[in-house]
């Protein structure tokens, strides 16, 4: 199937990290039964509502609990680790579950520092600007990340993710080191890691360095529509333009992410989707992803115009509805971006609703409903 899953191991309001991790294991097993191709785990730090702080550990647990589905990272933040440590971690998992592990790498830590360095007062989009629609796909105005990147709390958190005085090398150099460790072409040898059957991916939100590095090295690329919908077309175009055939790929290969909520009827889907805006607001105000609210908690929040503007691009580009309606919108996303695969992520307060959403979508996507 050309659908895969991205899981943040969300902690529900009133729940614990243990609840979230047990839910992840259960969901991965059910995703395998439903036929999803991959199950990727995100990396987030200092987020009260997210339990996926150590993706390599969680990938090992999910791989142990499943038998066929590919398991990977979406994505390891290479700005916080060395190439050697990443290759050793994933080489260790691959040694036990060969041929099933994806190593997705991102440069979010480096990009945050770049944005913070050039932070300026945010400029709201012109009055009436609602983005554009490209062949049926909404491309909203870009969100201004610079103020969030310069948030003092985030700068403090970033300082805790590295040793004092540590300097992160250029991203392209780090990827070259990862490749060299995996292939055995490095002057040092990673054990385990060298010769591992991991599939190496680059994740990116724009047509910048991540897309360029992925293309120039002939690696598969994951573009974020669910996090940065305004730049998804730029990202896939930049990747394809830079692509050079490699031992890994003869042609470009793209996976595009989308945030979805599926239910048996529209009213139920909209009810389940209510807390999402409040959750995104917690991220974009610098507080870190809060524990995922209930629909009742979402109803109790009084929204200001500033709040609404803060989350509008994410709300407007979330796919919410019946299985058939969401599947059709995902087909539009695939057509417009030229994606070879789609990576869907669903968060609801109740685990049973999240499982049901994925099962309904799998049936509709494969025509089994």
């Amino acid at each position: 199937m050309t659908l895969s899953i991205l899981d943040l191991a969300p902690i529900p309001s009133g729940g614990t990290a243990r609840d979230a991790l047990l839910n992840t294991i259960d969901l991965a097993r059910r995703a395998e039964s439903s036929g999803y191709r991959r199950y990727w785990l995100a990396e987030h730090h200092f987020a009260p509502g997210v339990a996926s702080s150590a993706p390599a550990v969680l990938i090992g647990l999910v791989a142990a609990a499943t038998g066929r589905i590919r398991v990977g990272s979406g994505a390891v933040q290479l700005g916080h680790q060395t190439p050697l440590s990443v290759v050793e971690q994933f080489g260790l998992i691959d040694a036990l579950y060969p041929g099933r592990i994806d190593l997705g790498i991102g440069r979010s830590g480096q990009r945050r520092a770049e944005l913070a360095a050039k932070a300026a007062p945010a400029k709201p989009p012109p009055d009436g600007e609602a983005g554009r629609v490209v062949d049926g796909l909404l491309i909203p105005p870009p969100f201004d990340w610079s103020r969030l990147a310069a948030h003092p709390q985030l700068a403090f958190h970033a300082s805790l993710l590295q040793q004092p005085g540590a300097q992160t090398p250029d991203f392209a150099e780090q990827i070259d080191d990862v490749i060299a460790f995996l292939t055995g072409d490095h002057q040092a040898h990673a054990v385990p890691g060298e010769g591992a059957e991991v599939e190496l991916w680059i994740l990116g939100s724009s047509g910048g360095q991540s897309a360029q590095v992925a293309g120039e090295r002939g690696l598969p690329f994951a573009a974020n529509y669910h996090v940065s919908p305004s730049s998804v077309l730029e990202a896939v175009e930049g990747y394809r333009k830079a692509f050079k055939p490699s031992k890994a790929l003869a042609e470009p290969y793209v996976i595009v992410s989308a945030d979805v909520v599926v239910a048996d009827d529209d009213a139920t889907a909209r009810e389940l989707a209510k807390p999402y805006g409040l959750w995104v607001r917690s991220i974009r105000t610098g507080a870190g992803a809060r524990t995922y609210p209930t629909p009742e908690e979402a109803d109790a929040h009084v929204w200001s115009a500033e709040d609404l503007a803060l989350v509008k691009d994410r709300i407007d580009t979330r796919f919410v509805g019946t299985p058939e309606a969401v599947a059709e919108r995902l087909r539009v996303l695939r057509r417009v971006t030229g994606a070879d695969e789609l990576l869907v992520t669903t968060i609801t307060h109740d685990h049973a609703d999240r499982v049901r959403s994925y099962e309904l979508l799998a049936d509709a996507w494969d025509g089994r409903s």
Side-chain angles (χ1 to χ4, degrees), residues 95-107:
L96 291 175
Y97 310 104
R100 291 181 55 205
I101 306 304
D102 295 336
L103 170 52
I105 294 177
R107 62 182 294 268

Side-chain angles (χ1 to χ4, degrees), residues 125-131:
D127 290 343
E129 184 176 342

